[in-house]
Amino acid sequence: MNAQGREPLAVFGAGWVGLVTAACFAELGHEVTVRDVVPEKVERLQNGEVPFFEPGLGELLERNRDRLTFTLDAADAAEAAELVFVCVDTPPTYSGDADLSRVWTVIDELPQLDRRSILVMKSTVPVGTGEKVRAALEARGLSHIGYVSNPEFLAEGTAIENFMNPDRVVVGAFLESDADRVTALYEPLGTTIVRADVASSEMIKLAANAFLTTKISFINEIANVCELVGADVVKVAQGVGLDHRMGPHFLRAGAGWGGSCFGKDVSALKQLAGNSGYQFQLLAAVIEVNELQKRRIVQKLQKHLGRLRGKRVALLGLAFKPNTDDMRDAPSLVLASRLLAEGANVRAYDPEARPGELLQGVALCDSTLEAVTGADAAVIVTEWNEFQTVATPEIRDAMRRPLIVDGRNLLDPEATRAVGFDYEGIGRAASPLSALPETPERELAD
Ligand code: UGA
């Protein structure tokens, strides 16, 4: 540690978590060596290029260039550091468990360090991984290396803000002195530090993502019931979320959750429970509800258009959420496949995502106008800001049929209908309440 309390750090894995972590610690004044196994990626980073889209990351890396080193050499990186952050990915295996092979590679690659460095796990791992890593370090004669679980809670698109202004930082350690050293790194952020044992820290990460997905699947089911009884889920979420015991966040009904983390982490927790002898039934339902939710858009289109064979559908947004180009596990992928399977002619536009091979059979467009021209329906799949103003006379006139299915409840239903569109949201009464016929369902709702 130098006189200003700054430690030389290493970050293994120049993916999204690793690069954000490295850039933010550099911004806090630390010297950071970033190590990755992909030569082209390291070369691009050395040349000042950012390999993916994350708001503010390019500027942060550039501003801290003097404190950042990018290398392929694991030994160099580890030897230069007091604390080694593990930020490698842990993708799902066929069984739904987390694949830890990249974590084990990092352990295998550590050189024979003679001082007490600390391995800090940011990758999302099953509960029990810390114990296994400790055993693996002992087996390699590295029992003097400390281990700390320090899960990340960064959301794509707001990752730098999440790192610099976190709700909390979780530090799970076997030794208090190791926890002290990691805690000290985060002290400048002035946030609550939750100190825990390693297993609890690992569980906090999995439970957090499981709870967030549960909230979303819950509000999506409420939305589906709202459609049957003539209620508006946006109002319902507002009324429920103002209760501080529940909170307003993650109550946006829509076309389902996606992204590289939620699906993998929820499945990993479900499998972890199963492998330990407990059937986590709630999570099974949370996952199932989400799969069905992505497909409901197809039913909504069928309701208006009948058979979809030969119908032209424009998908607005492909990324799993706005402000990212990430399409991993995006609801758009399932939706596009279902539409193609129904025989629809699918066109798509996203401001950032470039699906490449992922979306075979979908015509990619350079603008909203190009995508919707001649379309029988436009579906808002990702709530990019620019789609807020999609309901214009120009767009209406360009479409063969002015139907908007708003998979993210981005638009105001009445204002959209006033421009002459048919509008269908998620969990919003399909027509103004006064126009609904007196159905048995409505009587039930009363
Ligand atoms: C998520 C968590 O929010 C982070 O805290 C966590 O660190 C990260 O996973 C991870 O484990 O690495 P992220 O996947 O980037 O972050 O994205 P979110 O903003 O959580 O959104 C995930 C999905 O949920 C998106 O598809 C989004 O559209 C959907 N969502 C979110 C809803 O459908 N409704 C909501 O109310 C909120």
Side-chain angles (χ1 to χ4, degrees):
M1 195 181 294
N2 67 18
Q4 291 80 43
R6 305 212 169 104
E7 305 240 40
L9 310 177
V11 170
F12 276 54
W16 176 81
V17 171
L19 271 189
V20 170
T21 301
C24 290
F25 276 133
E27 176 80 358
L28 293 176
H30 301 278
E31 302 281 335
V32 188
T33 307
V34 182
R35 189 274 175 151
D36 201 276
V37 290
V38 181
E40 303 80 63
K41 192 187 258 185
V42 171
E43 202 179 322
R44 285 181 68 185
L45 286 163
Q46 284 166 339
N47 292 334
E49 288 176 52
V50 187
F52 49 83
F53 176 74
E54 176 64 32
L57 182 59
E59 293 85 325
L60 207 58
L61 289 170
E62 185 54 40
R63 189 159 66 232
N64 292 289
R65 241 184 141 154
D66 293 350
R67 283 194 281 268
L68 287 160
T69 310
F70 300 97
T71 180
L72 285 165
D73 194 317
D76 273 4
E79 269 156 12
E82 294 289 329
L83 295 110
V84 177
F85 284 81
V86 182
C87 300
V88 294
D89 55 339
T90 51
T93 61
Y94 287 118
S95 60
D97 296 282
D99 175 359
L100 295 185
S101 55
R102 293 167 181 88
V103 171
W104 300 126
T105 305
V106 172
I107 311 294
D108 291 345
E109 287 175 335
L110 286 179
Q112 285 300 326
L113 301 163
D114 45 21
R115 61 178 183 282
R116 187 173 179 82
S117 307
I118 302 176
L119 209 58
V120 188
M121 185 63 70
K122 274 220 172 282
S123 299
T124 302
V125 293
V127 181
T129 302
E131 283 291 356
K132 289 183 185 155
V133 172
R134 194 154 70 154
L137 288 171
E138 262 167 37
R140 284 210 48 211
L142 292 170
S143 51
H144 57 288
I145 305 288
Y147 181 87
V148 170
S149 159
N150 174 220
E152 55 89 11
F153 301 101
L154 311 174
E156 291 189 26
T158 52
I160 291 164
E161 166 66 15
N162 297 154
F163 189 102
M164 292 299 192
N165 293 301
D167 289 340
R168 79 309 205 181
V169 165
V170 176
V171 176
F174 294 114
L175 286 182
E176 286 298 306
S177 52
D178 291 343
D180 289 343
R181 281 174 67 188
V182 175
T183 298
L185 293 179
Y186 291 100
E187 254 149 26
L189 303 180
T191 189
T192 306
I193 310 269
V194 179
R195 297 203 16 175
D197 56 282
V198 171
S200 302
S201 170
E202 291 166 342
M203 184 56 117
I204 287 169
K205 167 67 190 192
L206 294 176
N209 275 359
F211 187 60
L212 292 173
T213 53
T214 303
K215 274 187 106 172
I216 305 170
S217 281
F218 173 81
I219 202 67
N220 281 338
E221 289 221 280
I222 292 288
N224 299 341
V225 179
C226 281
E227 286 176 10
L228 295 173
V229 299
D232 184 336
V233 74
V234 176
K235 271 285 152 225
V236 174
Q238 185 191 7
V240 168
L242 282 169
D243 184 324
H244 75 277
R245 292 171 302 175
M246 289 171 254
H249 305 290
F250 279 65
L251 287 179
R252 277 181 287 113
W257 41 267
S260 66
C261 303
F262 275 177
K264 136 181 118 63
D265 293 352
V266 174
S267 159
L269 178 52
K270 181 170 158 272
Q271 296 312 329
L272 176 75
N275 297 342
S276 314
Y278 181 74
Q279 299 307 315
F280 204 144
Q281 296 187 54
L282 180 62
L283 281 191
V286 165
I287 295 166
E288 176 72 3
V289 167
N290 195 50
E291 283 313 309
L292 295 173
Q293 197 67 16
K294 297 178 207 169
R295 291 159 170 81
R296 276 180 75 85
I297 301 282
V298 177
Q299 292 161 12
K300 287 175 183 290
L301 289 167
Q302 284 164 333
K303 181 176 124 189
H304 288 264
L305 304 176
R307 289 184 56 192
L308 296 179
R309 176 160 301 282
K311 302 277 167 36
R312 184 180 279 199
V313 179
L315 301 184
L316 302 182
L318 293 170
F320 82 98
K321 66 177 198 175
N323 301 320
T324 173
D325 58 359
D326 195 343
M327 284 190 59
R328 285 176 292 173
D329 216 1
S332 64
L333 295 170
V334 171
L335 179 55
S337 308
R338 281 291 303 117
L339 290 172
L340 291 170
E342 292 295 325
N345 167 346
V346 185
R347 301 161 71 78
Y349 163 66
D350 188 284
E352 292 291 339
R354 300 288 167 263
E357 298 296 294
L358 273 178
L359 273 185
Q360 301 276 359
V362 173
L364 295 177
C365 303
D366 291 327
S367 67
T368 299
L369 184 60
E370 187 190 341
V372 303
T373 298
D376 296 289
V379 182
I380 299 178
V381 192
T382 314
E383 65 275 37
W384 285 98
N385 264 346
E386 67 177 76
F387 299 146
Q388 262 169 3
T389 50
V390 82
T392 61
E394 188 193 16
I395 295 288
R396 180 197 63 205
D397 294 344
M399 295 178 74
R400 184 152 67 195
R401 185 185 163 137
L403 166 64
I404 293 182
V405 176
D406 185 356
R408 296 293 168 189
N409 289 341
L410 183 66
L411 308 183
D412 177 66
E414 289 323 305
T416 307
R417 289 189 185 110
V419 181
F421 287 95
D422 277 341
Y423 176 87
E424 179 88 36
I426 305 288
R428 318 192 86 175
S431 359
L433 259 187
S434 54
L436 272 184
E438 282 299 321
T439 60
E441 286 90 350
R442 284 222 44 226
E443 281 154 23
L444 200 71
D446 295 335

